[in-house]
Amino acid sequence: MDARKIRQDFPILRIRHNGKQIAYLDNAATTQKPRSVINAVKEYYENYNANVHRGLNFLSQKATDKYEEAHEKTARLINAKNSAEIVFTKNATESLNLLAYSLGEKISEGDEILLTKMEHHANLVPWQELAKRKKAKLVFAGITREGKLDLEDFALKIGNRTKIVSVTQASNILGTINPVKRLAKEAKKNGAIFIIDAAQSVPHIKIDAKGTGADFMAFSAHKMLGPTGIGVLWGKEEMLGEMPPFLTGGDMISEVTFEKSTWNKLPWKFEAGTPNIAGAIGFGAAIDYLKKIGFAGIRAQEQRLLKYGLKRLSEINGVKLYGPKAGERTGIIAFNLNNVHPHDVAGILDENAVAIRSGNHCAQPLMNEMGIQGVARASFYIYNTPEEIDRLADGIIRAKKVFGV
Ligand code: 7TS
């Protein structure tokens, strides 16, 4: 894998800010798009824009074929049984909301929903709302001082009242990779539904949906080179088949009378209204691009960057790093610099065209648990280079001088 060559496929990486070339290190928020993805979207709008599943005209047929092909590519990417198991949503957040709504039927007063203390708000707030509606209880597995999931606590918190377990596969702050296969086994032993928030894992590691033992998985295309506005819910066919739809209206029905309706087959039952056709087609092109590189190469490259980044940043006096050691995490480095607010660190880096993110990263309870207000976060992807990490380190050293710490 040659990051320098890969960079040439990403037009945006040429742009300059304050006279300096951009070093984009905010990939956990969203990734940049290669020309093949941009062109696939453009091609659709220029050559076969039409609605899907609606017209017999040749444009609609081509759009439908490409839209359905994107479902198939996604199914193959994560090793789903078939494309009936792939529901396109707006993003991981919508996928998780769909589950919290649609699985709500199975929840009664006193039931427990088990999450972890490292969840993104997207895998917390929908469950809070469900718990409120059904008078169910939210339970949280803790984290260790190293920033790993406390497996003993997880085992203690799961029991015969647990109906749903929903866990992030990779933390968006600590980078921690959770042993989802093992957690799924424990959930199943207790008769619970097991859900994976895979927003930070599918873009970075080879995923085997069938093999994990999970029932559902949620992720977003925009964190893996695809367009914004397109997300995925994978679910076991028999589970999705039993569940009521989340949104209702056009395309998700089989037959409609004035009195009642019946539902379309999977996955269309869960895709009401005109979907994000361009987004899905762009996502298909993103999957092709990632597969050509291969996930073994992607992971190895990210680990090289991570190790180099951890080394460089640990050499700077006053930098505190969070999260487990390399090998047990993805290419994310969360850090703080003495008493400097993370927004101020990010501001100094931005002056030098080094783009990171700062704040609570939509995981405010985790920040509270760690006893901090926020962190600065650099996150890597296939086009990043060690030179960009040097610029990150130089920027932090400059921030030290500016703030006199
Ligand atoms: N789950 C995790 C673990 C995430 O990191 C995110 C987004 C989501 C769910 C929600 O994804 P969305 O596409 O529906 O918004 N995380 C981040 C982040 O860390 N910085 O910006 C967005």
Side-chain angles (χ1 to χ4, degrees):
M1 224 193 97
D2 182 352
R4 274 168 203 81
K5 227 167 117 201
I6 284 173
R7 291 177 75 80
Q8 292 167 11
D9 295 333
F10 290 78
I12 204 170
L13 296 178
R14 288 190 311 238
I15 67 159
R16 300 178 82 80
H17 172 61
N18 289 342
K20 297 186 182 84
Q21 192 173 351
I22 185 174
Y24 185 77
L25 303 176
D26 194 13
N27 295 286
T30 199
T31 57
Q32 300 303 343
K33 320 303 171 197
R35 207 171 278 112
S36 63
V37 169
I38 299 166
N39 286 346
V41 172
K42 186 165 172 270
E43 236 256 304
Y44 162 68
Y45 282 125
E46 286 188 353
N47 294 323
Y48 60 98
N49 173 55
N51 212 327
V52 293
H53 297 152
R54 281 157 177 85
L56 282 179
N57 66 73
F58 70 99
L59 287 176
S60 175
Q61 282 190 358
K62 176 148 188 207
T64 301
D65 285 351
K66 292 292 242 180
Y67 183 68
E68 294 191 353
E69 185 184 86
H71 285 74
E72 279 150 24
K73 285 179 183 175
T74 309
R76 284 195 295 273
L77 173 78
I78 62 167
N79 194 28
K81 191 170 80 180
N82 55 46
S83 61
E85 298 192 325
I86 303 296
V87 176
F88 281 162
T89 59
K90 192 167 66 180
N91 46 36
T93 303
E94 187 179 297
S95 301
L96 291 162
N97 273 272
L98 188 164
L99 290 175
Y101 175 85
S102 205
L103 292 173
E105 305 283 308
K106 294 183 186 285
I107 301 297
S108 319
E109 187 168 346
D111 284 348
E112 292 183 359
I113 299 165
L114 174 59
L115 311 173
T116 79
K117 288 191 175 171
M118 63 170 89
E119 299 310 318
H120 184 279
H121 296 166
N123 194 32
L124 168 60
V125 185
W127 304 116
Q128 288 175 341
E129 290 301 296
L130 173 60
K132 228 188 306 177
R133 268 198 321 273
K134 296 284 178 170
K135 297 198 174 64
K137 191 173 159 202
L138 291 188
V139 182
F140 297 92
I143 55 171
T144 65
R145 285 168 58 127
E146 237 191 312
K148 288 164 74 172
L149 182 63
D150 184 338
L151 296 172
E152 273 177 37
D153 192 44
F154 183 91
L156 280 175
K157 298 275 168 66
I158 199 164
N160 56 13
R161 284 175 171 246
T162 314
K163 290 291 179 301
I164 294 174
V165 179
S166 192
V167 173
T168 191
Q169 186 167 14
S171 159
N172 67 319
I173 293 183
L174 304 165
T176 313
I177 299 174
N178 289 320
V180 286
K181 209 167 165 176
R182 175 171 167 182
L183 304 180
K185 214 180 263 176
E186 295 223 31
K188 291 289 130 191
K189 220 167 53 193
N190 288 279
I193 293 168
F194 189 73
I195 300 165
I196 299 175
D197 175 353
Q200 298 288 356
S201 56
V202 176
H204 307 283
I205 47 186
K206 181 87 193 93
I207 299 293
D208 176 6
K210 262 191 293 188
T212 56
D215 299 303
F216 300 99
M217 193 177 272
F219 56 100
S220 289
H222 71 90
K223 291 189 200 289
M224 48 194 300
L225 310 182
T228 49
I230 186 93
V232 179
L233 170 67
W234 165 77
K236 278 192 188 145
E237 196 173 4
E238 54 278 17
M239 305 273 294
L240 288 173
E242 279 175 17
M243 284 157 54
F246 175 41
L247 301 170
T248 53
D251 208 34
M252 55 72 66
I253 42 72
S254 168
E255 277 192 56
V256 181
T257 65
F258 282 121
E259 290 76 29
K260 61 178 184 355
S261 306
T262 54
W263 312 140
N264 202 344
K265 60 182 201 281
L266 291 174
W268 321 123
K269 177 174 108 177
F270 288 103
E271 294 190 8
T274 300
N276 183 354
I277 305 163
I281 291 166
F283 183 38
I287 293 172
D288 291 343
Y289 190 94
L290 288 171
K291 278 192 134 173
K292 215 155 58 189
I293 298 173
F295 279 87
I298 292 171
R299 175 93 178 123
Q301 154 84 347
E302 283 180 19
Q303 283 294 301
R304 274 194 298 274
L305 292 168
L306 176 67
K307 281 184 191 150
Y308 184 60
L310 289 173
K311 177 178 171 292
R312 284 298 323 261
L313 267 57
S314 66
E315 286 164 0
I316 305 171
N317 231 333
V319 168
K320 176 155 179 50
L321 297 166
Y322 304 96
K325 52 181 185 289
E328 296 173 340
R329 68 201 247 184
T330 58
I332 288 179
I333 300 181
F335 65 95
N336 266 315
L337 173 62
N338 282 332
N339 295 325
V340 183
H341 195 286
H343 287 337
D344 291 329
V345 176
I348 297 281
L349 286 163
D350 186 60
E351 285 172 12
N352 289 310
V354 178
I356 64 158
R357 189 180 165 189
S358 55
N360 69 35
H361 307 271
C362 303
Q364 209 176 345
L366 174 63
M367 296 290 98
N368 292 340
E369 185 74 9
M370 290 165 69
I372 50 179
Q373 289 223 314
V375 290
R377 181 188 70 183
S379 49
F380 314 125
Y381 212 29
I382 50 174
Y383 34 67
N384 290 127
T385 62
E387 291 74 34
E388 290 177 312
I389 291 172
D390 288 336
R391 287 177 57 196
L392 170 71
D394 292 347
I396 297 170
I397 292 164
R398 192 167 154 254
K400 271 183 72 154
K401 284 196 193 113
V402 171
F403 294 104
V405 294

